[in-house]
Amino acid sequence: MSQETAQDVRESRTDGGSGRVGGYRRLFRLPGARAFTTGNLLARLPMGMFSVSAVVMIAGSRGSYALAGAVTATGLAATALAGPWLARLVDRHGQARVALPATVVSVLGSLALLLCVRCDAPDWTLFAAYAGTAATPNIGGLSRARWARLLRDEPGALHTANAFEQAADELCFMLGPVLASFLTGTFFPEAGTLTGAVLLLAGMLLFLAQRATEPPPTPRSQGPSPLRSPGIPPLLACFTATGAVFGSMEVVTIAYADAQGHRAAAGAVLALQAAGSCAAGLVYGARKPARARLSWCLAAMAGLMTLPWLAAATRSLPALAGALLVAGMATAPTMVTAMTLVQRRTPADRLNEGMSLMVTGLLTGIACGSATGGWAAEHLSPTAAYAAPVAAAALALVLAALTGAGRARKSPEGARGTARPATTHPQPQPGADPHHQVTTP
């Protein structure tokens, strides 16, 4: 690390967890941080655009929401399967060497889908084309890996960086569908997919051009598979249950708004949940991570998820919107705390793989939650269906309690977690693994 970078990191220690916005200012004084963050945000925005754009494009051309849903579900499943394998390649060969060609493949998949729809190709070609988008790298994970390297000796600043990344996730998934809806409705049905592909490629080119902040590859990993690392399987189970909260809440809210005759407002109502999470994430990151515990965060989520259920009983959409805004505030702190534990317990040279596994768990949970929420909304009632996200949040809490997912434990050899005090900052030895272990608050 250069002398300038080291100085900025030392300064970030002062503000990173002090409860002031200065903690975020210090982060972006690190050389290269602003550039790779700008590229990351540009590339991440399409993640909230592609599925909405695909549904509008396919349903408008083929007249079948069932086909559109099946195509996007196939892409989701392919992403869940391909993600960990792609992340392992990133750990072994580096971000630039793997993420750039993978992004090109993903962009070509999106463009192929557009052409198949435009040219009225057979239905099976839509599935094949959209499956190609599964090559999209875990963009948030790539960025978190860079922060973990830059701030490896600064757990407080790393906490702030993780909170920023979670807030960025929420912001992109809040703005992406809105932008996609605007483009497809204002211009032409393919406009959302085309714009998303351009943003993805341009953002990744800018992000990957920042080679100074890229973690060095480890061709031969010395650490065990993340799935064999102590504490990772319980976290994966918690991530899956948490994903079920998100998936069921989305479907149930759309069904509820439709039953009230305001289906068009469902997107705006759900955006408030993301807005609450984004705001809470920024506040959480500015505070010193002194005693945060995953079980506490999950308990708060389980409690707050009852608010939309209660608000739905009033049959008032504004009341539901307010309840979702408040309930969303539990999301970011939970995700930040859980991702910090993943970084601590995953072998340093397999960090991208570990974080990608968690994304796979989330996607699996979202798919299961969507199916459960849809069944409950159809066979019970839209109001009673709000019990589904409450049950999923309670399941995550029970799993954490039974498996000890949030408990402190000794980290595996080569992982980022360590038992040494946070006040010590050992320097790398010649030839040592540059991914130092960090203490987790």
Side-chain angles (χ1 to χ4, degrees), residues 264-289:
V269 172
L270 286 169
L272 286 175
Q273 182 183 4
S277 179
C278 180
L282 292 175
V283 173
Y284 185 65
R287 296 179 60 84
K288 184 177 180 180

Side-chain angles (χ1 to χ4, degrees), residues 248 251-252 255 369-389:
S248 58
V251 172
V252 171
S370 297
T372 303
W375 181 91
E378 182 174 342
H379 292 84
L380 302 176
S381 71
T383 298
Y386 275 103

